[in-house]
Amino acid sequence: MPLADHRLTARRILVYGVCGSGKTTLARRLSERSGIPWHSVDDLTWEAEWTPVGPDVQRERIGNIVSGTEWILDTAYGAWLDVPLSRVELIVGLDYPRWFSFARLLRRAVVRAIDHSPVCNGNVESWRNMASKDSILVWHFKSFRRKRARIRQWASDGTGPSVLVFRSHRECERWLGSLERRFPT
């Protein structure tokens, strides 16, 4: 779909990018603009006290969502990436520079550790979480290259779903702002 297309015809959308790229915020805003229901993957894959949901349950939850006619997911984990890919119509790839996404992620983690705002299912960020080997900050570095390569591979594959790749936040904001609203606010 060309960036100049101001209509959003896709009804099944995956927002994909590295930690800190703004996937959840974009998915929420895209849902508000389009009227398509958005599903927070963190809410589906983490229970209270940062207890991970088992892989089979994650696959089932995601499968139930993507079997519907309209949905927006704010990411997809490698363990069940095949599930949304089998039905997605549009992938919105946030391929921002590492420094940009990491700076956003660090800022967000620090603010959440200070104000204890809930992340998902009552979970909160803590200084201890940020310093652990399982930290979201560490995960950013572990997953950056793989996720970037995946976005670029999807974009170059002419046989898959439509893929929009944004290399800057400003470019993404222009696209989002250009979309006609499905429902007036």
Side-chain angles (χ1 to χ4, degrees), residues 20 23 45 51 54 59 67 69 79-80 83 91 94 124 130 139 161-162 175:
K23 300 176 303 291
T45 57
T51 304
R59 284 185 76 82
S67 68
T69 57
W80 46 259
V83 178
I91 298 172
L94 303 180
V124 295
M130 277 196 293
W139 183 247
S162 296
W175 171 72

Side-chain angles (χ1 to χ4, degrees), residues 10-134:
R11 310 315 297 160
R12 297 185 303 271
I13 303 167
L14 171 62
V15 178
Y16 193 83
V18 300
C19 302
S21 59
K23 300 176 303 291
T24 299
T25 300
L26 176 60
R28 178 185 46 79
R29 292 178 64 205
L30 192 52
S31 176
E32 291 167 356
R33 184 161 290 273
S34 67
I36 300 170
W38 154 62
H39 303 274
S40 168
V41 169
D42 284 348
D43 288 334
L44 299 166
T45 57
W46 292 98
E47 298 295 343
E49 298 182 30
W50 292 111
T51 304
V53 172
D56 292 340
V57 175
Q58 288 184 31
R59 284 185 76 82
E60 180 182 350
R61 288 177 178 179
I62 298 302
N64 288 337
I65 290 166
V66 303
S67 68
T69 57
E70 293 187 324
W71 46 266
I72 298 171
L73 289 178
D74 63 2
T75 196
Y77 293 170
W80 46 259
L81 180 59
D82 60 305
V83 178
L85 285 182
S86 70
R87 303 229 340 120
V88 69
E89 295 175 331
L90 173 66
I91 298 172
V92 179
L94 303 180
D95 187 12
Y96 301 156
R98 182 189 298 265
W99 67 265
F100 180 80
S101 55
F102 185 75
R104 289 174 68 165
L105 181 64
L106 179 61
R107 180 179 159 274
R108 182 184 79 189
V110 168
V111 167
R112 286 178 175 173
I114 291 169
D115 72 9
H116 302 290
S117 58
V119 178
C120 61
N121 294 319
N123 292 308
V124 295
E125 295 281 359
S126 69
W127 298 108
R128 180 178 296 198
N129 287 354
M130 277 196 293
S132 80
K133 66 180 173 67
D134 297 323

